[in-house]
Amino acid sequence: MIRSLFILLLFPFCCLAQSVETYIQQGNTKASAKDYKGAIVDFTKAIEQDGKNAKIYFYRANAYSANNDYPSAIKDFTRSIEFDPSSANMFAYYYRGNSYNANKNYAEAVADYTKALYISPKNAILYHYRADAKSNLKDYTGAIEDFNRAIQISPNDPSLFEYRGVARANIGDNKGAIADYDIAAKLDPENADIIFYRANAKGNIPDFKGAIADYTKTLAMNPQNAAAVFYRANAHGNINEYAEAIEDYKKAISIDSKIPNIYKYLANALAKNGDTKVALDFFGDRIKADPKNADLYLYDGIVKNNLNDKEGAIADFDKAIELKPNSEAYQSRADAKLNIKLYDDASDDADEAIDLDAKNSYAFITRSRIKLKLNDTSGALKDINTAIEINTLNDYAFSIRGDINTILRNDNAALAAYNKAIGDNPGNTENYLKRGGTRLRLGDRAGALQDFKKLGDLNSSDKYLYIRLGQLMAKGSFFNELQTLFNNLITRSPKVAGFYVNRGIARENLDNVTGAIADYNEALTLDTASAEAYQNRGHAKIALSDYEGALKDINKAISLRDDDDEAFFLRASVKLATKDYQGAVDDYNSTLFINLDNIKARCRAYKRRF
């Protein structure tokens, strides 16, 4: 952002020897021709004859700076200031600040720009440069204040709005950043960087369609901007436009195949698009062309893992590790082993991933998930906290932290974690479902319903997600909203059995038992092995006092899934109604055997003792 400017300040040197003046003139001439090394030689000779001349040190400092030798430049600017600390030598502070900034001595740069501003308080460029240095110190609020002052002095400079937008984006004020980029774009409509930055800010709102439009504008001005293609692909993926995302990932690879994790993103998009053969063919062809490329095996393994080909995935990860044993390969293999319940092997791989890269936050996330499966909740929480310390913007880590606190029955901590996950990634539907369930347990029905409605508005293509949403809405007794939601979902996707089960539950609880049974019947037409449909139809038949039909349906549900405590509890209720008391007691005991926390069964069992 800061440009080092070599300036020629021509002052009379009448009092100096002719040779000194000659060396100075020669040095300036060489510097103008970008022969900075030659200029340095001449200025050095001048200094040898006049070692206390502030301007000669200034000239040589500029030459050092232009030659990217910033430590030497800083030293000469300092000597120049020592010999002439007056306000007339303001540029020495200014340019030493530039050299400090280029040398990553940002605090010193801020101090020099501040001194220069004391001498020249109406200089917008100085405020701009000091803002840049503050940004490099992550003092974005201070940077914004300096940009504000610069804009007051120079309100038509597009770069001031552009970089104030960057500073605002860095403190999460994406809407403020977009407003600045809008002004900058009007002042400098051909600047592709401004549109690119605006696209990034829109993606963070998240306005993915707006981001896509801006990335497209950027690419119209600069078609070889691989980052714009890559980020446009991400935006497409965030709104489930996987075909478009895949096309962009491939295009980005053709421009710059070294973009970090680009093959991983492509692999995920191919898997989510259901392009099983396309995904496998793509990486298979790449592996044939480059059989020693470990990354290709790694991402081919990720595709296979997403397609539940765990053995094929592990074989690919093995090959990737053989060719290039790195943290990501071990972590990916740990994930695959976790999914097939090889917990000890998975744990060893996660440990190795962490040993190879102690900053791999995903390795800590994977090890945390493994520890959860091994019932080590304290270890899981410790690992997930470490993952978050490494990357405070990883929404997945916060989501897992929420899950762990849910298991620990610390709903307030879980809620805080889900809030952070949603704040970092508002487009992740899963976290709205989890937060809604947490709010429901905390008694915040309005907040839970808000999350459930938000989930419905996001139009996910994940049918199972909506089925789980329906279950939570039923648990919260939001039956009118539940019926409306699944009316709409059934209109869109009339062949999903779980949708009819959820609408049936809503209808039954709204006293439309006949309509509920019709929905359960339709669910069983679509899926003859739906334990949920049999169980809920049995429940509806109880309301009609059809105990024989209810018992038949519930028995069928239990035969399909014998680990559902609610099914045993429901059958116990039928047996109690038909005076089969011993059968009811046996089913209540089975309920508690499966789930000791089933309060309803515990109460029933307690009553039967007296």
Side-chain angles (χ1 to χ4, degrees), residues 123-135:
N123 191 319
I125 294 175
L126 283 173
Y127 280 112
H128 186 167
Y129 287 2
R130 189 172 71 175
D132 292 342
K134 287 180 178 179
S135 288

Side-chain angles (χ1 to χ4, degrees), residues 326-342:
N326 62 32
S327 181
E328 186 178 4
Y330 277 104
Q331 181 258 315
S332 297
R333 191 170 71 177
D335 270 339
K337 290 178 177 178
L338 169 61
N339 290 333
I340 56 175
K341 301 181 180 180
L342 295 175

Side-chain angles (χ1 to χ4, degrees), residues 296-369:
L296 294 175
Y297 289 99
L298 172 61
Y299 298 123
D300 190 53
I302 290 171
V303 171
K304 289 176 180 175
N305 194 38
N306 288 336
L307 296 170
N308 289 317
D309 177 9
K310 307 303 179 187
E311 291 183 4
I314 290 171
D316 273 341
F317 296 141
D318 289 344
K319 186 66 176 178
I321 289 168
E322 176 190 328
L323 292 168
K324 188 173 72 175
N326 62 32
S327 181
E328 186 178 4
Y330 277 104
Q331 181 258 315
S332 297
R333 191 170 71 177
D335 270 339
K337 290 178 177 178
L338 169 61
N339 290 333
I340 56 175
K341 301 181 180 180
L342 295 175
Y343 300 132
D344 290 336
D345 287 350
S347 183
D348 289 342
D349 275 349
D351 288 343
E352 184 65 25
I354 290 167
D355 287 343
L356 288 169
D357 182 4
K359 296 296 184 182
N360 183 343
S361 63
Y362 281 99
F364 283 98
I365 293 172
T366 297
R367 193 168 71 176
S368 175
R369 292 171 58 223

